[in-house]
Amino acid sequence: MKIEQIETFLMITETKNLSLASKNLFISQSAVSHRLRSLEEYLDCELFIRGRGEKLVTLTQKGEEFIEIAIRWKALWNETKQWALQESKMSLNVASIDSLNTCVFSNLYKELIDSSSQDEDNHSIILNVSSHWSRTIYDLIESHDIDIGFTLNSLKYPNAIAKPLFKSRGVVISSTSSKYTESVHPHDLDTADEILFSSIPEYHMWHNFWWENNQNEYSSVDTVSLLFTVFDLEKKWAIVPVWIARVFEKFYPIKISELSVSAPEYACYQVTNRHPKPSKLKAIEKFITALEDYMKKEVFINSVQ
């Protein structure tokens, strides 16, 4: 069936007159008759009863039944035509370790999601964000299940490219009533009160160097939310990237102390596939542009320094 046949059928049902239908459609009466015959041949049934040379027509039982189908068919055609003319929404799957999602990139995600809800021209990104361990992020990049990842580890994978984004120092966080001063040496820290929080091998090596004989004394957590939960314990301390400390102090009364002996820096990497999906190239480009703009903003700079 063709849309012209359906439109002609519906016009005839409305006017009950071939001559008036041709006038309303701006075509000849012979063209109306041709379209009607073609539609009836396609459907293999008679839709109208008409005599030779008669302009007036009457619907058959099949014609009456076909009206609703024709209306739905025309509506679906119009919807399909509109869909074909529209630019598809861009979707992007982003994954990061929990602490980066929570403390560094949450405002970026918020900006992109907000712009998506306000953009009526389909130029925005539909953003899907998840949290995973670093190795899982690399696995998902390899399998094209995510498009962009953020981790604190540069791992070797055949098709994963890790680009350094920024580095941040580690600081000591503790209760405001703790004994620790603005600058502390590792030997000043009591490992019996430590909450170990780290996801980079270099830090564990540094930690083992300073507290080699106290490896069984400390507790540990692996997410920011857990760290926040246990930190109402008065004597506890932890060494964390400064961007966790900056978020922490907004919600909790904590003390931030610098280390007199620097711990390894926390390097953040942007991970992408060497061969991204062609359908995701525009969304990736738009996201990276937004990321670059975000990293120039004060809210970002203040969080990682």
Side-chain angles (χ1 to χ4, degrees):
M1 288 187 297
K2 297 180 179 180
I3 185 63
E4 294 85 359
Q5 295 170 340
I6 295 297
E7 288 176 336
T8 301
F9 168 79
L10 290 174
M11 182 58 70
I12 296 172
T13 61
E14 182 180 333
T15 62
K16 303 293 191 299
N17 187 300
L18 296 180
S19 179
L20 189 55
S22 67
K23 182 179 179 180
N24 290 345
L25 292 170
F26 301 100
I27 58 176
S28 65
Q29 186 172 329
S30 60
V32 168
S33 299
H34 176 72
R35 287 181 183 181
L36 182 56
R37 283 196 303 274
S38 297
L39 179 61
E40 289 177 326
E41 288 173 5
Y42 179 85
L43 296 174
D44 194 25
C45 66
E46 191 176 30
L47 299 174
F48 292 97
I49 299 172
R50 55 200 181 279
R52 182 179 294 275
E54 292 182 1
K55 297 179 180 180
L56 297 177
V57 293
T58 305
L59 282 163
T60 64
Q61 181 62 37
K62 280 291 186 179
E64 293 279 1
E65 295 169 355
F66 187 64
I67 292 176
E68 185 179 347
I69 296 173
I71 292 171
R72 294 204 310 268
W73 199 97
K74 183 180 179 181
L76 183 59
W77 169 265
N78 290 334
E79 185 179 342
T80 303
K81 189 175 180 180
Q82 185 178 8
W83 164 81
L85 293 173
Q86 287 179 340
E87 185 177 346
S88 296
K89 284 275 190 179
M90 295 184 291
S91 66
L92 197 70
N93 298 320
V94 178
S96 173
I97 60 172
D98 167 75
S99 55
L100 286 172
N101 267 346
T102 303
C103 301
V104 177
F105 297 118
S106 57
N107 285 321
L108 171 63
Y109 302 151
K110 184 177 179 180
E111 289 175 6
L112 287 168
I113 291 171
D114 184 51
S115 66
S116 176
S117 64
Q118 297 182 28
D119 193 333
E120 297 179 356
D121 296 326
N122 296 324
H123 295 143
S124 57
I125 298 174
I126 298 174
L127 197 62
N128 304 298
V129 183
S130 57
S131 295
H132 300 282
W133 299 117
S134 290
R135 190 164 293 279
T136 303
I137 289 172
Y138 278 88
D139 289 338
L140 293 172
I141 286 289
E142 280 285 307
S143 62
H144 283 108
D145 289 313
I146 61 171
D147 306 301
I148 296 178
F150 297 109
T151 82
L152 298 181
N153 296 283
S154 178
L155 305 179
K156 289 187 177 181
Y157 273 69
N159 294 305
I161 300 174
K163 173 188 174 183
L165 284 184
F166 64 87
K167 289 184 178 181
S168 296
R169 68 191 185 282
V171 295
V172 179
I173 56 173
S174 61
S175 168
T176 52
S177 60
S178 73
K179 62 182 180 180
Y180 304 116
T181 59
E182 291 184 2
S183 178
V184 295
H185 189 279
H187 285 163
D188 298 330
L189 298 166
D190 186 350
T191 54
D193 294 325
E194 181 183 14
I195 304 295
L196 182 64
F197 183 88
S198 178
S199 58
I200 58 172
E202 296 86 350
Y203 176 81
H204 289 284
M205 294 173 61
W206 181 87
H207 188 278
N208 292 343
F209 173 81
W210 287 106
W211 295 292
E212 183 179 1
N213 298 323
N214 305 96
Q215 293 305 297
N216 296 320
E217 293 188 8
Y218 54 80
S219 301
S220 65
V221 294
D222 60 6
T223 66
V224 170
S225 57
L226 281 173
L227 184 65
F228 287 1
T229 300
V230 302
F231 230 75
D232 56 353
L233 300 172
E234 187 175 344
K235 293 183 179 181
K236 298 302 179 183
W237 62 269
I239 296 177
V240 298
V242 67
W243 30 269
I244 290 181
R246 295 295 181 225
V247 171
F248 214 151
E249 68 178 345
K250 293 178 183 178
F251 303 101
Y252 298 91
I254 62 163
K255 183 185 296 183
I256 300 176
S257 303
E258 299 292 339
L259 285 160
S260 60
V261 178
S262 298
E265 289 185 306
Y266 295 82
C268 173
Y269 297 91
Q270 171 191 298
V271 188
T272 53
N273 194 290
R274 192 181 307 276
H275 308 289
K277 291 180 179 178
S279 60
K280 296 300 182 85
L281 288 175
K282 277 189 178 180
I284 292 172
E285 181 181 350
K286 186 176 180 67
F287 181 90
I288 290 176
T289 299
L291 172 63
E292 291 171 349
D293 292 341
Y294 173 69
M295 291 177 65
K296 297 173 185 175
K297 293 183 179 180
E298 189 175 350
V299 65
F300 170 81
I301 295 170
N302 289 342
S303 71
V304 301
Q305 292 184 352

